[in-house]
Amino acid sequence: MTSTPSVAASAAQLIQTHQILKQSEFYLRGDQVLKKVKWVRDGRADRLVVNGPPSEGSFEMASLSAIVRVEHNDFWMTPDAGYQKPSAIWKDLLDVKPSCVVSAPDLQPVKDDFQQVVANLQHLQGEMRMPGYEMGKAFFTGGHAETQRFKVRHVLFEVSVALGLLARQNLKTINQLLDDNGQSTDADKPDFASATKWPLTHEETCAELQTVLTTHRIVPVPAYDIQGKLVSPEAYRRTLEDAIVELHFSLSHFAIAGKKGTRSKDVFVGEIDAMHVLVPP
């Protein structure tokens, strides 16, 4: 059972974070965020970026923020998103992207903010709707305008800059995160670069992971517990599922033309920049 001091600490942190975010230009509670962002074309995608002076060939992705509850339904924020074998969902392990659905937190003062969060996201979607295209289901679950739940995901693998430095780059990135959050000493830092260390749903996936790591490196979910420590991969579910979190994410749009009788779709994707637990499950 959660102790009273822990409950009080969570409540205090929730209120403090809410006050700080209210001053942020990219907090989705108010309408100020709509003036601070714009859509720009980036290859085959449209990116929501910071609305500033144009700079040739460069832009800064806007990191939107909200306080949300991570739902236990449609929770795939696990080290391999439950991957087993190539399927219609995941063609291979490299394509796996852990995800979760978020909804309104049930605590004040943040509960009342969520309706405006959804309204602002719907407004941003409306700016990129393509005539004759139907809404895809990648972001607002079910693709319905009236939904009060949306999905965010994390790209698990990143192309290695130099194959010869794969392991060192992997450890440097993770160890720096651990150092910054005071979670681990040099003696007990985990080797995330090893296929045998990263937790998998099925052991037979280990060989495929080893192959992936010859060209890519693992990027853990940027999720932090209530103490500000990086959440270890095996603790994603017990730490994040049903928690109230401070969420920062970017937004992209893809116009996907229909093929072989299928309808064309507007697909919006939310990519996690950071998650910070405010109230544990």
Side-chain angles (χ1 to χ4, degrees):
M1 181 178 294
T2 306
S3 64
T4 300
S6 296
V7 171
S10 294
Q13 185 163 347
L14 178 67
I15 294 172
Q16 181 182 32
T17 301
H18 181 243
Q19 290 298 321
I20 293 172
L21 288 180
K22 282 169 61 178
Q23 307 305 313
S24 167
E25 296 179 336
F26 300 101
Y27 184 44
L28 284 164
R29 171 184 178 267
D31 57 6
Q32 79 286 345
V33 65
L34 302 179
K35 303 174 184 177
K36 299 296 182 179
V37 297
K38 64 180 179 180
W39 290 99
V40 299
R41 190 68 178 171
D42 178 34
R44 296 184 178 182
D46 299 287
R47 312 290 185 188
L48 190 68
V49 305
V50 176
N51 188 6
S55 179
E56 185 177 354
S58 66
F59 55 80
E60 179 185 354
M61 290 289 290
S63 187
L64 306 173
S65 60
I67 296 177
V68 299
R69 178 177 291 281
V70 178
E71 292 201 353
H72 64 272
N73 293 322
D74 299 314
F75 183 92
W76 297 101
M77 194 62 66
T78 59
D80 60 4
Y83 175 83
Q84 299 184 49
K85 296 178 181 179
S87 65
I89 299 177
W90 306 121
K91 296 180 179 178
D92 51 47
L93 182 61
L94 189 58
D95 195 37
V96 167
K97 298 175 180 65
S99 65
C100 63
V101 169
V102 301
S103 60
D106 55 0
L107 296 177
Q108 295 293 12
V110 296
K111 181 179 179 180
D112 291 341
D113 287 2
F114 194 76
Q115 187 173 358
Q116 185 62 46
V117 169
V118 170
N120 282 333
L121 289 173
Q122 290 170 345
H123 178 92
L124 292 170
Q125 280 190 323
E127 293 180 344
M128 289 307 304
R129 290 294 299 271
M130 302 290 289
Y133 280 54
E134 68 177 22
M135 184 65 74
K137 301 178 181 179
F139 186 61
F140 278 116
T141 56
H144 303 300
E146 66 272 14
T147 185
Q148 294 295 302
R149 306 163 71 238
F150 62 91
K151 182 170 72 174
V152 289
R153 72 180 192 182
H154 171 69
V155 177
L156 189 59
F157 297 103
E158 180 178 87
V159 175
S160 178
V161 176
L163 302 184
L165 298 177
L166 173 65
R168 184 166 57 182
Q169 290 173 339
N170 223 344
L171 288 175
K172 182 179 179 180
T173 300
I174 305 305
N175 290 347
Q176 182 62 52
L177 288 171
L178 293 173
D179 281 339
D180 291 345
N181 291 282
Q183 184 184 31
S184 180
T185 62
D186 289 337
D188 61 1
K189 287 175 181 173
D191 180 8
F192 286 102
S194 170
T196 60
K197 298 292 185 179
W198 189 261
L200 298 167
T201 304
H202 304 279
E203 288 188 11
E204 57 267 30
T205 311
C206 186
E208 188 175 356
L209 176 58
Q210 189 65 67
T211 300
V212 167
L213 290 181
T214 62
T215 57
H216 293 69
R217 65 190 185 97
I218 301 173
V219 181
V221 177
Y224 301 86
D225 65 18
I226 194 168
Q227 297 176 330
K229 298 177 181 178
L230 184 69
V231 178
S232 60
E234 62 274 7
Y236 288 158
R237 182 176 294 278
R238 68 172 179 268
T239 304
L240 301 174
E241 191 177 47
D242 280 328
I244 294 177
V245 304
E246 173 189 353
L247 172 66
H248 298 263
F249 65 101
S250 62
L251 194 61
S252 298
H253 166 260
F254 301 86
I256 302 177
K259 296 180 180 179
K260 297 180 180 179
T262 61
R263 298 188 63 180
S264 299
K265 294 183 179 181
D266 280 312
V267 175
F268 293 84
V269 177
E271 301 280 1
I272 298 170
D273 294 326
M275 303 175 75
H276 183 192
V277 174
L278 302 176
V279 181

